Amino acid sequence: MTTAIPTHRDIDLSDKNFWAKSPEERDAAFAVLRRENPVPWSRPADSDLLPPEQNTKGFWSLTKYEDIRFASRHPEIFSSAQGITMEDFPPEMIHIAQSFIAMDAPRHTQLRGITQDAFKPRNMRRLQSWVQGHARDLVSEMAHLGEGDFVELVSVQLPGRIFGSFFGLPPGEIHDKTINAAQRLLGWTDPQVRGDQTALELFAGAVMDLHETAGLLIPERRANPGDDLLTWMVQAEFDGKKMTDDELKGFFVLLAVAANDTTRHASAHAIHTFSKFPQQRELLVADVPGRVDSAVEEVLRWSSVLAHMRRTATQDVTVRGSEIKAGDKVVLWYMSANRDEEIFDDPFTFDITRNPNPHLAFGGGGPHFCLGAALARTMLRSLLTEVYTRIPDIHAPDPNFQVANFINGINNLPATWTPEQS
């Protein structure tokens, strides 16, 4: 008995059950949308972030690469100020948790300028040296074991340690509480992460824990500057302006996600994907220094850890015949753009020699392009170099994927490898 090929009418991006499907099933559904209905309208998303009487807004989806690039490069038409996720949050949560990625010019321009001052080349070189050292240490700690959950041993640990170094978190309770909050922040749709909490309870609790840490550290860094990212952010300015304490707290939450959740899941996807495609793993192992950079780019395209960002239309606009009205929500599906057949040759093949590889893993360009892109690449490059130089036969074919529509995540990844001899 064969399974009927779905049509675009069978695909409900608002349904929680859709996000419990396998990555292959979701990718196939987006391929149908790109072909049959590339700008579909969806009912309000299944969500308990808002009471049912407030969760009333449906949304448009952009599934094609060029449409997403257009929307990303025209913030005057597609605004970020009303939220950046498919699901709506209470307005107060947008301001305290999403920082300047949920703002438009001119304040977005000012805060991004301040951030770029903190991310100056000298500081970036310091961060990169931390990344390389932590990757080396972590693989040294697990290489002799021969088996274990790669997420628990490495994927959670590496960004957690780097985040701790970034912000100079003191060891002990504050460090552990902060890292835990950062790593559960985007798991509001996943039953394993959420436990017996509601989605809003989990998200708000994580945000409050991060704000508490930031509230302790910000005045301390002003009084006693250190060699860490929070000190650089406290001192940074643009056009003579610095961030307020509330803006610094929001940025701390934003960096918690960027440094922890996204990098954590990208590293797990990398190990799983090379297990799924052993010929590509052999290709990498044969010349790690020569192929690791292109391997990182293909992992980023293939995994599309950041599944989407959302915008809100500021005026009526027509995209591929769909009439989007001012005030409508518009979701930019990066995970679909990174499989767009019009952009990528053979997009459903994982190929670490792919060139060019203009993926949208860090967004579609424009003023909201990810500031941490270079650092994320450094994390993956450092980790893949250590892993496939020292335990090249690591095998992890059976991931436990998160149920989520914003982050394409992996909760657990059992792995085996030939132990490294001391």
Side-chain angles (χ1 to χ4, degrees):
M1 180 176 170
T2 59
T3 301
I5 299 174
T7 71
H8 70 89
R9 295 180 182 85
D10 303 317
I11 298 166
D12 184 359
L13 300 178
S14 297
D15 187 352
K16 284 185 178 180
N17 292 323
F18 178 84
W19 299 102
K21 294 178 181 291
S22 70
E24 291 80 8
E25 290 175 294
R26 298 198 307 261
D27 287 341
F30 276 109
V32 170
L33 291 176
R34 288 193 300 274
R35 183 174 63 249
E36 296 182 8
N37 187 20
V39 188
W41 172 258
S42 295
R43 63 181 175 82
D46 290 344
S47 175
D48 58 0
L49 290 170
L50 289 175
E53 65 273 13
Q54 296 179 29
N55 183 32
T56 59
K57 297 195 71 172
F59 58 91
W60 297 97
S61 286
L62 303 186
T63 65
K64 295 288 290 180
Y65 184 100
E66 291 298 346
D67 296 341
I68 291 171
R69 277 174 53 89
F70 176 82
S72 301
R73 286 165 164 74
H74 289 84
E76 76 282 4
I77 304 174
F78 299 94
S79 166
S80 300
Q82 295 184 46
I84 50 88
T85 59
M86 179 176 92
E87 297 176 62
D88 280 320
F89 282 85
E92 62 273 15
M93 280 290 137
I94 296 174
H95 297 298
I96 68 173
Q98 297 178 5
S99 189
F100 61 84
I101 64 170
M103 294 181 186
D104 297 323
R107 192 54 180 152
H108 171 266
T109 305
Q110 293 173 335
L111 294 182
R112 188 176 175 96
I114 293 170
T115 306
Q116 287 176 316
D117 183 48
F119 276 76
K120 63 186 67 171
R122 175 178 62 82
N123 293 345
M124 285 296 296
R125 287 192 293 272
R126 179 77 171 115
L127 296 179
Q128 288 168 357
S129 70
W130 287 337
V131 169
Q132 292 162 355
H134 284 309
R136 188 180 310 113
D137 291 345
L138 264 175
V139 175
S140 294
E141 292 168 17
M142 55 84 75
H144 69 282
L145 298 175
E147 64 179 0
D149 181 350
F150 189 84
V151 168
E152 180 182 337
L153 292 172
V154 178
S155 296
V156 169
Q157 297 295 328
L158 178 60
R161 291 186 188 186
I162 293 168
F163 184 70
S165 296
F166 281 1
F167 288 100
L169 296 179
E173 182 180 351
I174 291 177
H175 177 278
D176 295 345
K177 178 180 178 180
T178 303
I179 298 302
N180 178 271
Q183 291 174 344
R184 70 179 192 272
L185 189 66
L186 295 185
W188 72 83
T189 57
D190 184 77
Q192 180 176 329
V193 178
R194 196 172 65 233
D196 58 1
Q197 294 180 296
T198 68
L200 187 57
E201 285 171 344
L202 180 140
F203 186 84
V207 169
M208 291 302 102
D209 285 349
L210 291 167
H211 272 237
E212 183 179 343
T213 298
L216 292 171
L217 295 181
I218 289 167
E220 194 275 332
R221 291 299 191 278
R222 285 203 179 100
N224 302 292
D227 190 17
D228 59 76
L229 184 54
L230 189 56
T231 295
W232 304 335
M233 288 302 304
V234 167
Q235 296 173 339
E237 60 180 62
F238 179 75
D239 285 348
K241 297 183 182 295
K242 295 185 176 183
M243 281 193 185
T244 66
D245 280 12
D246 285 344
E247 287 167 344
L248 284 166
K249 291 176 182 177
F251 183 77
F252 188 78
V253 175
L254 173 62
L255 259 291
V257 174
N260 274 277
D261 237 56
T262 51
T263 307
R264 161 192 166 182
H265 295 302
S267 66
H269 273 285
I271 303 305
H272 166 58
T273 304
F274 279 112
S275 301
K276 188 176 179 180
F277 301 104
Q279 290 182 332
Q280 292 296 304
R281 178 178 62 190
E282 292 168 10
L283 197 62
L284 174 61
V285 169
D287 182 10
V288 173
R291 294 184 177 131
V292 69
D293 285 335
S294 61
V296 165
E297 298 308 313
E298 183 67 345
V299 166
L300 289 168
R301 181 192 76 88
W302 185 263
S303 60
S304 295
V305 169
L306 183 63
H308 79 263
M309 281 282 184
R310 168 262 185 114
R311 301 290 184 257
T312 302
T314 63
Q315 61 191 65
D316 295 354
V317 59
T318 301
V319 181
R320 296 184 189 264
S322 292
E323 297 181 359
I324 299 171
K325 300 297 184 183
D328 284 352
K329 291 167 34 175
V330 183
V331 179
L332 285 54
W333 290 105
Y334 304 136
M335 64 191 304
S336 178
N338 286 337
R339 297 287 195 280
D340 192 333
E341 299 83 353
E342 292 185 4
I343 304 299
F344 300 98
D345 292 334
D346 202 6
F348 291 92
T349 295
F350 180 71
D351 178 9
I352 67 169
T353 67
R354 186 181 296 278
N355 185 31
N357 194 348
H359 61 75
L360 302 188
F362 299 112
H368 288 278
F369 184 78
C370 178
L371 274 171
L375 201 56
R377 288 183 166 105
T378 297
M379 290 186 191
L380 280 176
R381 184 188 310 117
S382 299
L383 182 59
L384 294 185
T385 297
E386 293 294 325
V387 167
Y388 289 105
T389 300
R390 299 172 59 181
I391 49 172
D393 66 345
I394 186 168
H395 188 55
D398 298 311
N400 172 21
F401 290 105
Q402 277 195 358
V403 179
N405 58 48
F406 187 63
I407 290 290
N408 183 21
I410 294 177
N411 282 329
N412 307 100
L413 186 64
T416 58
W417 60 91
T418 300
E420 186 179 63
Q421 300 302 311
S422 56

